[in-house]
Amino acid sequence: MTHDLANAMPHIGFFGLGLRKSHTIMNKVLRSCLRQNTPMCIRGYSGYPEFPNKIGNREVVGHGYNGEASYLDRCDFPMPAVRFKPCTPDIMALREKEKGDWKKLSIEEKKALYRASYCQTFSEFQAPTGEWKGQLGVALMGVAWSICLFMIFKLYAYPPLPVTFDEEHRLAQLERMQILEVNPISGISAKK
Protein backbone atom coordinates (compact mmCIF):
# COMPACT_ATOMS: atom_id res chain seq x y z
CA MET A 1 0.00 0.00 0.00
CA THR A 2 2.82 2.41 0.75
CA HIS A 3 4.22 1.81 -2.73
CA ASP A 4 0.83 2.71 -4.25
CA LEU A 5 0.74 5.89 -2.17
CA ALA A 6 4.29 6.71 -3.19
CA ASN A 7 3.38 6.31 -6.85
CA ALA A 8 0.09 8.19 -6.54
CA MET A 9 1.28 11.09 -4.38
CA PRO A 10 5.06 11.45 -4.53
CA HIS A 11 4.97 14.94 -2.96
CA ILE A 12 3.45 13.75 0.38
CA GLY A 13 5.65 12.00 2.90
CA PHE A 14 7.64 12.38 6.06
CA PHE A 15 8.40 16.00 6.96
CA GLY A 16 7.18 17.25 3.61
CA LEU A 17 9.54 14.99 1.66
CA GLY A 18 8.33 12.43 -0.78
CA LEU A 19 8.06 8.83 0.49
CA ARG A 20 10.74 7.62 -1.86
CA LYS A 21 13.04 10.50 -0.99
CA SER A 22 12.55 10.06 2.77
CA HIS A 23 13.19 6.32 2.54
CA THR A 24 16.44 6.84 0.68
CA ILE A 25 17.55 9.48 3.18
CA MET A 26 16.65 7.23 6.11
CA ASN A 27 18.45 4.32 4.48
CA LYS A 28 21.58 6.44 4.01
CA VAL A 29 21.44 7.61 7.63
CA LEU A 30 20.90 4.06 8.89
CA ARG A 31 23.75 2.73 6.76
CA SER A 32 26.14 5.42 7.96
CA CYS A 33 25.20 4.76 11.61
CA LEU A 34 25.72 1.04 11.17
CA ARG A 35 29.00 1.65 9.36
CA GLN A 36 30.27 3.78 12.25
CA ASN A 37 29.15 1.38 15.00
CA THR A 38 30.19 -1.89 13.37
CA PRO A 39 33.71 -3.19 14.06
CA MET A 40 36.11 -3.08 11.14
CA CYS A 41 36.53 -6.86 10.93
CA ILE A 42 32.75 -7.34 10.53
CA ARG A 43 32.46 -4.50 8.03
CA GLY A 44 35.23 -6.09 6.00
CA TYR A 45 33.40 -9.42 6.19
CA SER A 46 30.49 -8.23 4.09
CA GLY A 47 32.58 -7.89 0.95
CA TYR A 48 35.08 -10.73 1.49
CA PRO A 49 34.56 -14.47 1.72
CA GLU A 50 36.45 -14.65 5.06
CA PHE A 51 37.73 -12.38 7.83
CA PRO A 52 40.93 -10.46 7.20
CA ASN A 53 44.01 -12.22 8.52
CA LYS A 54 44.95 -10.44 11.75
CA ILE A 55 46.87 -13.25 13.43
CA GLY A 56 49.86 -13.10 11.11
CA ASN A 57 52.22 -16.08 11.25
CA ARG A 58 50.76 -17.46 14.48
CA GLU A 59 49.38 -20.96 14.60
CA VAL A 60 45.64 -21.51 15.21
CA VAL A 61 45.36 -24.29 17.78
CA GLY A 62 41.74 -24.22 18.95
CA HIS A 63 38.24 -22.82 18.78
CA GLY A 64 38.84 -19.73 20.91
CA TYR A 65 36.75 -17.58 23.19
CA ASN A 66 33.37 -16.94 21.49
CA GLY A 67 34.70 -18.73 18.42
CA GLU A 68 37.18 -15.97 17.61
CA ALA A 69 40.74 -16.71 16.54
CA SER A 70 42.32 -14.35 19.06
CA TYR A 71 44.73 -14.49 21.98
CA LEU A 72 43.41 -13.74 25.49
CA ASP A 73 44.90 -14.54 28.89
CA ARG A 74 41.80 -15.59 30.85
CA CYS A 75 41.52 -17.89 33.83
CA ASP A 76 37.97 -18.95 32.85
CA PHE A 77 39.12 -19.80 29.31
CA PRO A 78 42.71 -21.02 29.71
CA MET A 79 43.33 -22.23 26.15
CA PRO A 80 43.47 -19.38 23.60
CA ALA A 81 42.75 -20.05 19.94
CA VAL A 82 46.13 -18.89 18.66
CA ARG A 83 49.64 -19.12 20.00
CA PHE A 84 51.17 -16.00 21.50
CA LYS A 85 54.32 -15.75 19.37
CA PRO A 86 54.62 -16.25 15.61
CA CYS A 87 56.23 -19.39 14.26
CA THR A 88 59.99 -18.95 13.90
CA PRO A 89 62.55 -21.60 12.89
CA ASP A 90 63.78 -21.87 16.50
CA ILE A 91 60.29 -22.47 17.86
CA MET A 92 59.45 -24.90 15.06
CA ALA A 93 62.59 -26.90 15.91
CA LEU A 94 61.53 -26.96 19.57
CA ARG A 95 58.04 -28.10 18.57
CA GLU A 96 59.53 -31.01 16.60
CA LYS A 97 61.69 -31.88 19.61
CA GLU A 98 58.59 -31.59 21.82
CA LYS A 99 56.91 -34.42 19.92
CA GLY A 100 59.55 -36.80 21.25
CA ASP A 101 60.49 -37.59 24.85
CA TRP A 102 59.95 -34.62 27.18
CA LYS A 103 62.72 -35.79 29.47
CA LYS A 104 65.22 -34.83 26.78
CA LEU A 105 64.03 -31.19 26.84
CA SER A 106 65.87 -28.83 29.15
CA ILE A 107 64.01 -26.50 31.50
CA GLU A 108 64.93 -23.51 29.33
CA GLU A 109 63.48 -25.24 26.25
CA LYS A 110 60.26 -26.05 28.12
CA LYS A 111 60.01 -22.41 29.22
CA ALA A 112 60.65 -21.23 25.66
CA LEU A 113 57.89 -23.52 24.38
CA TYR A 114 55.52 -22.25 27.07
CA ARG A 115 56.31 -18.59 26.31
CA ALA A 116 55.80 -19.25 22.59
CA SER A 117 52.26 -20.43 23.32
CA TYR A 118 51.32 -18.16 26.25
CA CYS A 119 52.19 -14.61 27.24
CA GLN A 120 51.81 -15.05 31.00
CA THR A 121 51.44 -17.83 33.51
CA PHE A 122 48.32 -18.11 35.67
CA SER A 123 50.12 -16.63 38.66
CA GLU A 124 51.35 -13.71 36.53
CA PHE A 125 48.01 -12.65 35.11
CA GLN A 126 46.11 -13.29 38.34
CA ALA A 127 48.59 -11.33 40.45
CA PRO A 128 47.25 -8.07 41.87
CA THR A 129 48.19 -5.11 39.73
CA GLY A 130 47.58 -2.32 42.22
CA GLU A 131 44.98 -0.64 39.98
CA TRP A 132 42.64 -0.41 42.96
CA LYS A 133 44.91 2.21 44.52
CA GLY A 134 44.41 4.62 41.65
CA GLN A 135 40.67 3.94 41.53
CA LEU A 136 40.37 4.51 45.28
CA GLY A 137 42.38 7.73 44.93
CA VAL A 138 40.06 9.02 42.21
CA ALA A 139 36.99 8.10 44.29
CA LEU A 140 38.40 9.88 47.36
CA MET A 141 39.21 12.96 45.25
CA GLY A 142 35.59 12.97 44.11
CA VAL A 143 34.38 12.74 47.72
CA ALA A 144 36.74 15.56 48.77
CA TRP A 145 35.56 17.72 45.87
CA SER A 146 31.92 17.07 46.82
CA ILE A 147 32.58 18.05 50.45
CA CYS A 148 34.35 21.23 49.33
CA LEU A 149 31.44 22.17 47.07
CA PHE A 150 28.97 21.48 49.88
CA MET A 151 30.91 23.70 52.28
CA ILE A 152 31.21 26.50 49.71
CA PHE A 153 27.48 26.37 49.00
CA LYS A 154 26.64 26.22 52.70
CA LEU A 155 28.80 29.26 53.48
CA TYR A 156 28.15 31.46 50.45
CA ALA A 157 25.08 30.29 48.50
CA TYR A 158 22.46 29.10 50.98
CA PRO A 159 20.69 31.60 53.26
CA PRO A 160 21.05 31.14 57.02
CA LEU A 161 18.69 28.71 58.73
CA PRO A 162 15.43 30.13 60.13
CA VAL A 163 15.16 30.97 63.83
CA THR A 164 12.80 28.04 64.37
CA PHE A 165 15.73 25.62 63.96
CA ASP A 166 17.23 26.70 67.31
CA GLU A 167 17.05 24.22 70.19
CA GLU A 168 14.80 26.53 72.23
CA HIS A 169 12.25 26.92 69.44
CA ARG A 170 12.19 23.19 68.65
CA LEU A 171 11.54 22.34 72.32
CA ALA A 172 8.72 24.91 72.41
CA GLN A 173 7.23 23.40 69.27
CA LEU A 174 7.36 19.91 70.79
CA GLU A 175 5.68 21.15 73.98
CA ARG A 176 2.92 22.81 71.95
CA MET A 177 2.39 19.58 69.95
CA GLN A 178 1.94 17.68 73.23
CA ILE A 179 -0.53 20.23 74.57
CA LEU A 180 -2.60 20.12 71.34
CA GLU A 181 -2.24 16.32 71.14
CA VAL A 182 -0.98 16.35 67.55
CA ASN A 183 -0.87 12.82 66.07
CA PRO A 184 -2.02 11.03 69.22
CA ILE A 185 -1.12 7.38 69.60
CA SER A 186 -4.17 5.30 70.29
CA GLY A 187 -4.58 1.68 71.20
CA ILE A 188 -3.88 -0.69 74.10
CA SER A 189 -0.28 0.43 74.64
CA ALA A 190 -1.14 4.15 74.65
CA LYS A 191 -3.29 4.18 77.82
CA LYS A 192 -2.37 6.95 80.25
Side-chain angles (χ1 to χ4, degrees):
M1 181 169 174
T2 57
H3 296 295
D4 297 335
L5 285 173
N7 292 333
M9 296 180 282
H11 62 281
I12 298 174
F14 299 105
F15 305 111
L17 298 172
L19 283 176
R20 288 183 183 170
K21 235 185 220 184
S22 64
H23 283 295
T24 57
I25 291 171
M26 286 189 290
N27 285 340
K28 286 180 182 178
V29 169
L30 180 65
R31 271 189 258 138
S32 69
C33 287
L34 286 175
R35 193 176 299 121
Q36 290 171 358
N37 295 331
T38 308
M40 191 65 189
C41 61
I42 295 174
R43 273 192 270 158
Y45 182 68
S46 61
Y48 301 108
E50 61 184 53
F51 284 107
N53 185 8
K54 292 190 175 184
I55 60 172
N57 192 20
R58 296 186 295 168
E59 184 180 2
V60 177
V61 290
H63 180 66
Y65 187 72
N66 288 338
E68 296 176 0
S70 62
Y71 182 86
L72 295 170
D73 277 329
R74 297 179 59 117
C75 58
D76 60 337
F77 196 81
M79 298 297 197
V82 295
R83 298 196 190 273
F84 177 66
K85 290 185 179 176
C87 298
T88 61
D90 298 336
I91 293 174
M92 295 306 290
L94 282 175
R95 291 237 169 85
E96 287 299 319
K97 196 173 178 184
E98 175 186 35
K99 292 177 184 175
D101 189 15
W102 276 48
K103 292 178 183 175
K104 294 179 181 176
L105 289 172
S106 68
I107 293 177
E108 288 78 23
E109 290 173 334
K110 290 177 186 176
K111 286 182 181 179
L113 280 170
Y114 185 85
R115 291 297 179 179
S117 294
Y118 304 102
C119 177
Q120 296 175 319
T121 63
F122 270 80
S123 60
E124 286 173 350
F125 70 77
Q126 288 179 336
T129 60
E131 287 181 28
W132 67 273
K133 296 173 189 175
Q135 294 166 355
L136 180 66
V138 169
L140 290 176
M141 284 192 300
V143 169
W145 178 250
S146 301
I147 291 172
C148 289
L149 278 178
F150 172 75
M151 294 306 291
I152 289 170
F153 286 151
K154 186 167 175 63
L155 292 174
Y156 300 111
Y158 297 142
L161 292 175
V163 179
T164 54
F165 276 81
D166 293 344
E167 186 74 23
E168 179 184 339
H169 286 87
R170 287 191 300 167
L171 288 174
Q173 184 182 15
L174 180 62
E175 185 179 333
R176 179 143 173 90
M177 288 172 69
Q178 289 173 347
I179 291 170
L180 295 175
E181 294 183 5
V182 177
N183 293 332
I185 298 173
S186 59
I188 298 171
S189 63
K191 303 237 179 200
K192 291 184 180 180

